[in-house]
Amino acid sequence: FILGTKSFLDSHEDVKVGSLSGADTRKILLIVFVMTLHSFSEGVGIGVSFGGEHGNELGVFISASLAVHNIPEGLAVAIVLLPRKVSKATAAIWCVVTSLPQPLMAVPAFIFVHSFLPLLPVGLGFAGGAMMWVAFMELLLEAYEDTDMVTTGVASTLALGVMLAVQRTIEDNH
């Protein structure tokens, strides 16, 4: 799916958004599109998590986890936009827009929890795959191009360590 989208965007070299054009615009559109699409399945995950016997506790936990998770997602969008001279306000708006599908999908997923439940593994698998692609094929490559292998490796390893520590803290307190 992502490769198809990338191929489609690459075949339209004349894409222009605001003052951006060419490869910059295609890269921005790809990241924003992938992040937005990925948020749909997260919204379904939130809505479904509120269903069932322990829905309130699990729903609040999943919602809080995804709220924290949205911070690096927004950062990923901002990292692509800001170096290309997109204003901070516009970048902030796009960071929010990419997560809007979460509440939009959470409500119908909660209402129709039994219908959405079978789709949850597929949606979450898609969301995870999309995030892995963005992280490895876009963000890490761009970090390496802008710095060097050691800086990229150290920063990535530290970020992973912090996220694992946050995850363990959340699990221990739940």
Side-chain angles (χ1 to χ4, degrees):
F1 173 79
I2 294 171
L3 292 176
T5 304
K6 185 173 176 18
S7 175
F8 174 79
L9 288 172
D10 287 345
S11 70
H12 292 83
E13 293 183 13
D14 58 344
V15 174
K16 185 172 180 160
V17 176
S19 63
L20 298 171
S21 62
D24 281 347
T25 303
R26 291 191 305 273
K27 183 173 201 146
I28 289 170
L29 288 174
L30 182 64
I31 298 292
V32 167
F33 182 69
V34 166
M35 298 301 261
T36 304
L37 198 56
H38 146 115
S39 289
F40 277 93
S41 54
E42 290 178 341
V44 171
I46 291 169
V48 169
S49 69
F50 274 98
E53 187 178 330
H54 302 287
N56 193 38
E57 292 173 15
L58 180 61
V60 169
F61 176 72
I62 296 295
S63 297
S65 298
L66 283 173
V68 171
H69 170 80
N70 283 343
I71 295 168
E73 286 182 359
L75 185 59
V77 172
I79 285 171
V80 173
L81 294 172
L82 293 174
R84 290 162 177 85
K85 307 295 185 232
V86 173
S87 74
K88 290 176 185 173
T90 300
I93 289 168
W94 279 111
C95 291
V96 171
V97 165
T98 59
S99 290
L100 283 179
Q102 288 178 5
L104 295 176
M105 291 303 294
V107 173
F110 174 72
I111 293 170
F112 301 106
V113 68
H114 297 293
S115 300
F116 276 90
L117 202 51
L119 301 175
L120 186 59
V122 173
L124 293 178
F126 179 82
M131 281 305 300
M132 286 177 58
W133 187 87
V134 167
F136 288 110
M137 300 305 291
E138 293 293 331
L139 299 177
L140 278 177
L141 280 175
E142 191 166 318
Y144 173 70
E145 290 168 359
D146 290 347
T147 60
D148 56 56
M149 189 180 306
V150 172
T151 304
T152 301
V154 168
S156 299
T157 303
L158 288 173
L160 175 63
V162 168
M163 288 309 298
L164 289 173
V166 168
Q167 182 180 1
R168 178 150 301 154
T169 301
I170 290 171
E171 288 173 354
D172 290 345
N173 290 329
H174 187 262

